[in-house]
Amino acid sequence: MRVELAGIDGAGKSTVAGAVASRLGFEIRRVTAYGPAFEHGVAQLRRALGERGVEAARAIAIGRALLETAAAPMGPNVVFDRYVESARMYWTVQSIAPLPNDVLRLLPANDAVVLLDVDVATGLARRRGTSFDDVDAESAYLDRCVTYLRGAARRNGWIVIDARAPLEDVAEEVVTAVRART
């Protein structure tokens, strides 16, 4: 079974993914698009191409990370801390599409997508880092992400968990929902 955890930054994806993997004996996969080398080059890229150039580079890095994740060997049961639906969210919110849908359909499909649903204030309070220097820009970006994710969840029948609760409780809800799908 392949399960993707989706949600805005600060929703608890990494924490919940670790707990779910541990409780269900799943392998955990974290789609990591930006390493230290990428982040080091962002300032140069911003100076040369502006914010839109940085967004395009991030979108391409996400696409590369998805393809690398799909190509890597993995066990039969995996919980993804972000995967295809999280990439679609970023690309839609930023109006950039580096990988067409016909390529995305070739990637190993999720059996379930779980939206860890939180409001922007909760996400901002829990975040480890920020995407923007300006808190208003950060809030506006996260608001667009929340809107996209909630709409995608309704359209696609995702499991939606209110992730404002303590993350241990959220993890237990996810485990219960995943078990119901197997």
Side-chain angles (χ1 to χ4, degrees):
M1 178 162 204
R2 295 173 196 270
V3 178
E4 177 177 353
L5 298 181
I8 64 172
D9 289 347
K13 293 179 301 295
S14 296
T15 301
V16 172
V20 169
S22 175
R23 291 178 189 167
L24 294 176
F26 280 26
E27 177 181 345
I28 186 170
R29 286 292 171 110
R30 199 166 274 123
V31 178
T32 305
Y34 324 127
F38 181 90
E39 292 301 337
H40 179 71
V42 164
Q44 274 185 290
L45 190 59
R46 187 172 281 117
R47 281 192 301 277
L49 301 175
E51 199 57 44
R52 194 69 178 149
V54 171
E55 291 168 7
R58 287 187 187 286
I60 292 165
I62 291 168
R64 188 195 87 250
L66 280 177
L67 295 173
E68 288 172 356
T69 298
M74 64 183 81
N77 297 310
V78 178
V79 61
F80 289 99
D81 174 353
R82 299 181 181 196
Y83 188 50
V84 174
E85 299 305 334
S86 297
R88 282 188 173 126
M89 176 208 67
Y90 181 82
W91 296 334
T92 299
V93 167
Q94 299 295 13
S95 301
I96 297 172
L99 292 180
N101 281 327
D102 61 330
V103 171
L104 292 174
R105 282 191 290 275
L106 297 173
L107 299 175
N110 294 309
D111 296 300
V113 178
V114 178
L115 171 57
L116 301 181
D117 192 21
V118 296
D119 56 88
V120 171
T122 301
L124 284 171
R126 288 183 180 167
R127 290 189 71 149
R128 291 189 186 130
T130 60
S131 299
F132 298 88
D133 294 332
D134 178 329
V135 72
D136 291 333
E138 184 82 12
S139 294
Y141 167 73
L142 291 175
D143 189 55
R144 291 190 309 272
C145 292
V146 166
T147 299
Y148 172 86
L149 289 167
R150 288 176 177 165
R154 278 191 305 278
R155 287 188 303 278
N156 298 305
W158 296 355
I159 299 164
V160 178
I161 304 289
D162 182 349
R164 293 174 297 169
L167 292 177
E168 275 302 310
D169 297 344
V170 172
E172 194 54 44
E173 277 192 68
V174 173
V175 166
T176 300
V178 168
R179 283 186 177 141
R181 292 269 175 119
T182 58

